[in-house]
Amino acid sequence: MSKSLDPEKNADSMKLLLSDVRRKLNKIKLGGGRKNIEKQHAKGKMTARERVDYLLDEKSDRIEIGSFAGYEMYNEYGGCPAGGVIVVMGYVSKRLCIVVANDATVKAGAWFPITCKKNLRAQEIAMENKIPIIYLVDSAGVFLPMQNEIFPDKEHFGRMFRNNAQMSAKGITQISAIMGSCVAGGAYLPIMSDESLIVEKTGSIFLAGPYLVQAAIGEKVDKETLGGANTQTEISGVCDYKMPDDPTCLDTIKDLMSRIGSKAKAGFDREKALPPKLEVEELYKILPEERSKPYDVKSLIKALVDDSKITEYKPTYGKTMFCGYARIEGWSVGIVANQRLLCKSAKGEMQFGGVIYSDCADKASRFIMNCNAKRIPLVFLHDVTGFMVGSKSEHGGIIKDGAKMVNAMANSIVPKFSVVTGNSYGAGNYAMCGKAYDPRLIVGWPTAKIAVMGGAQAAKTLFQIKLASVKEEISEEEKQKMLDSITKKYEEETTQYYAAARLWIDEIIDPKETRKWISMGIEAANHNPIQGEYVVGNIQT
């Protein structure tokens, strides 16, 4: 009982959180709503989700990336469910790939700032892993009221076409299907792909639409004549294949994908997969409902890894950091995880769980180096409140030791995967391979929280700053209202939904899905052989 206080209560809490995630997802998956879905069908078009489902191999594994992108953002414009674009990693003709599909039920598929960020994330995954990417285009282009946040900067709209060019140069397969509108700068995306398809009557592609053409040069021309399927396959030769309807178009993509030859692999070790000895439901029972309470992270790991078997590295040193070897779906992995139990250091001092001490940072650094030397992918399980503070830690060189860990992790040449199971605060987020450190995939459980510090600490700090700026005397009641308001706002900004909406994490997942995410991530990474040797940059020793 001491490990997780009340397992059944923990499980009930996790199931309630998952129920909330599913309820929100069900609404998000309606995109722009049932009326807009019906309009799409009335035009003879499949919706973005229907297209993706049709394209992917039946009964094959898949993971959706960025479902919560844009969640509770852009409310003044009616919202932007899933960022107006569907991104899935899955199998097409048994080839692992990324599929990107504009959702025309959401503002005609127009691009909001988060749409751009999500598309770039999809391309980043394809580029890092050298796996094919398929674009199902149906978009009205940039959402003009927010064009200044989408168009000109480095990580804005133009970066898409730069990535198109770089992927082409690297031999990463890109296939585009124009299944609706494709206008202005967006027209470059399918044409910079290796092959492009266009659907008759519903697909059109041009740099400027009929209204803009008339306004610019006075020419009156209809959409089909300007850039419909016949024009772009028979006259201009811009597109490669003219398709009569959505299903035929998607079937042709399957055929094109089936012909891709295999390339050299990274060679990550894999054996026959074994299920954990612990029941999957055990995952729900381990994390305490009250997140400040301790638990044994080894129990959690044993519920995730093959045969519940782990080989722990330095088990009696740096005890608030677990490091060890295991297998997930047969893949060899090195796991770095925060231990939430109260522990004794090698010197007999008590160490608080979830905090990174100097010995923990040293241990993790050495383990990360070992995994790189042995070409073993790394998995980071976050439940960290940060590095230890105070005069004793500062005198002991905690900054130096923390920098060693960040350095070792940041220079890793093996693929890294992050799972935020609980807290991910401050520099602990960085050291445990937060989004800034290029994890191939980063996901959060429904219990995830990401912030510069814990809610109570941050709220009190912000409260003191605000209180100091108030010149007149205020009552205790007014002070409490001020503190409550600050606390509420800060807590909202640390939730898993807030993080997922801004793509700080790729998805909020059911803990049961963790094995699949890591396995598919390593399979994708295995398509890109490691280049160069592992070198840790200069750091004071």
Side-chain angles (χ1 to χ4, degrees), residues 287-316:
L287 289 182
E289 179 189 28
E290 192 176 333
R291 294 299 300 114
S292 61
K293 299 296 183 183
Y295 65 94
D296 188 358
V297 78
K298 294 177 197 175
S299 299
L300 185 149
I301 294 168
K302 286 178 180 178
L304 284 175
V305 303
D306 289 16
D307 203 33
S308 299
K309 183 180 179 182
I310 55 177
T311 302
E312 189 172 358
Y313 175 77
K314 288 184 178 287
T316 58

Side-chain angles (χ1 to χ4, degrees), residues 208-228:
Y211 296 119
L212 184 54
V213 167
Q214 186 174 357
I217 63 174
E219 180 186 0
K220 290 185 178 181
V221 60
D222 64 83
K223 187 169 73 171
E224 278 297 311
T225 304
L226 184 63

Side-chain angles (χ1 to χ4, degrees), residues 480-494:
Q480 189 60 50
K481 282 183 180 178
M482 186 189 296
L483 177 59
D484 290 345
S485 175
I486 291 169
T487 302
K488 183 174 182 291
K489 182 177 184 296
Y490 193 86
E491 288 291 350
E492 286 172 352
E493 292 176 359
T494 65

Side-chain angles (χ1 to χ4, degrees), residues 80-373:
C80 185
V85 62
I86 315 305
V87 175
V88 175
M89 181 190 289
Y91 300 86
V92 176
S93 299
K94 299 181 181 179
R95 273 75 174 175
L96 186 61
C97 63
I98 294 288
V99 181
V100 181
N102 301 117
D103 188 348
T105 70
V106 179
K107 293 287 188 295
W111 286 49
F112 285 72
I114 198 66
T115 316
C116 190
K117 188 173 182 179
K118 186 170 174 179
N119 274 271
L120 290 173
R121 177 61 177 143
Q123 288 188 320
E124 179 183 42
I125 292 169
M127 293 172 78
E128 284 180 329
N129 298 298
K130 289 193 174 179
I131 58 174
I133 184 166
I134 299 167
Y135 309 99
L136 307 180
V137 184
D138 193 347
S139 171
V142 166
F143 185 62
L144 289 177
M146 303 189 77
Q147 64 84 26
N148 63 315
E149 297 181 47
I150 307 165
F151 172 67
D153 210 347
K154 181 178 179 180
E155 297 296 328
H156 282 181
F157 197 58
R159 190 76 168 184
M160 291 284 297
F161 317 128
R162 172 262 193 192
N163 288 348
N164 286 145
Q166 290 214 337
M167 280 191 277
S168 180
K170 292 173 182 176
I172 299 169
T173 300
Q174 300 177 83
I175 298 172
S176 289
I178 302 156
M179 309 182 81
S181 297
C182 184
V183 299
Y188 288 110
L189 184 146
I191 309 313
M192 292 183 76
S193 299
D194 302 310
E195 294 179 279
S196 62
L197 307 87
I198 185 167
V199 179
E200 291 183 275
K201 297 180 182 177
T202 56
S204 59
I205 178 170
F206 29 63
L207 289 180
Y211 296 119
L212 184 54
V213 167
Q214 186 174 357
I217 63 174
E219 180 186 0
K220 290 185 178 181
V221 60
D222 64 83
K223 187 169 73 171
E224 278 297 311
T225 304
L226 184 63
N230 289 334
T231 296
Q232 301 294 22
T233 57
E234 297 176 14
I235 299 172
S236 70
V238 162
C239 296
D240 303 309
Y241 306 93
K242 180 171 68 175
M243 299 285 108
D245 51 41
D246 281 10
T248 308
C249 180
L250 298 169
D251 285 335
T252 304
I253 294 173
K254 293 179 186 181
D255 178 68
L256 295 173
M257 286 290 292
S258 73
R259 301 173 187 279
I260 298 173
S262 62
K263 296 182 180 179
K265 296 286 196 293
F268 301 125
D269 185 65
R270 191 178 198 184
E271 294 181 354
K272 182 181 178 182
L274 295 170
K277 283 182 178 176
L278 297 175
E279 292 293 327
V280 144
E281 288 286 333
E282 291 297 312
L283 277 174
Y284 294 169
K285 298 178 181 179
I286 296 166
L287 289 182
E289 179 189 28
E290 192 176 333
R291 294 299 300 114
S292 61
K293 299 296 183 183
Y295 65 94
D296 188 358
V297 78
K298 294 177 197 175
S299 299
L300 185 149
I301 294 168
K302 286 178 180 178
L304 284 175
V305 303
D306 289 16
D307 203 33
S308 299
K309 183 180 179 182
I310 55 177
T311 302
E312 189 172 358
Y313 175 77
K314 288 184 178 287
T316 58
Y317 180 74
K319 292 180 182 178
T320 67
M321 182 74 76
F322 171 90
C323 297
Y325 303 103
R327 290 189 182 273
I328 293 178
E329 292 292 339
W331 293 104
S332 172
V333 296
I335 298 173
V336 180
N338 307 113
Q339 175 60 281
R340 290 299 301 266
L341 292 175
L342 191 67
C343 303
K344 278 188 179 181
S345 73
K347 297 177 182 178
E349 299 163 338
M350 294 308 296
Q351 296 183 335
F352 296 100
V355 179
I356 302 175
Y357 293 81
S358 285
D359 54 356
C360 301
D362 175 68
K363 170 179 167 177
S365 301
R366 293 169 184 271
F367 182 72
I368 290 166
M369 292 178 195
N370 285 345
C371 287
N372 273 272

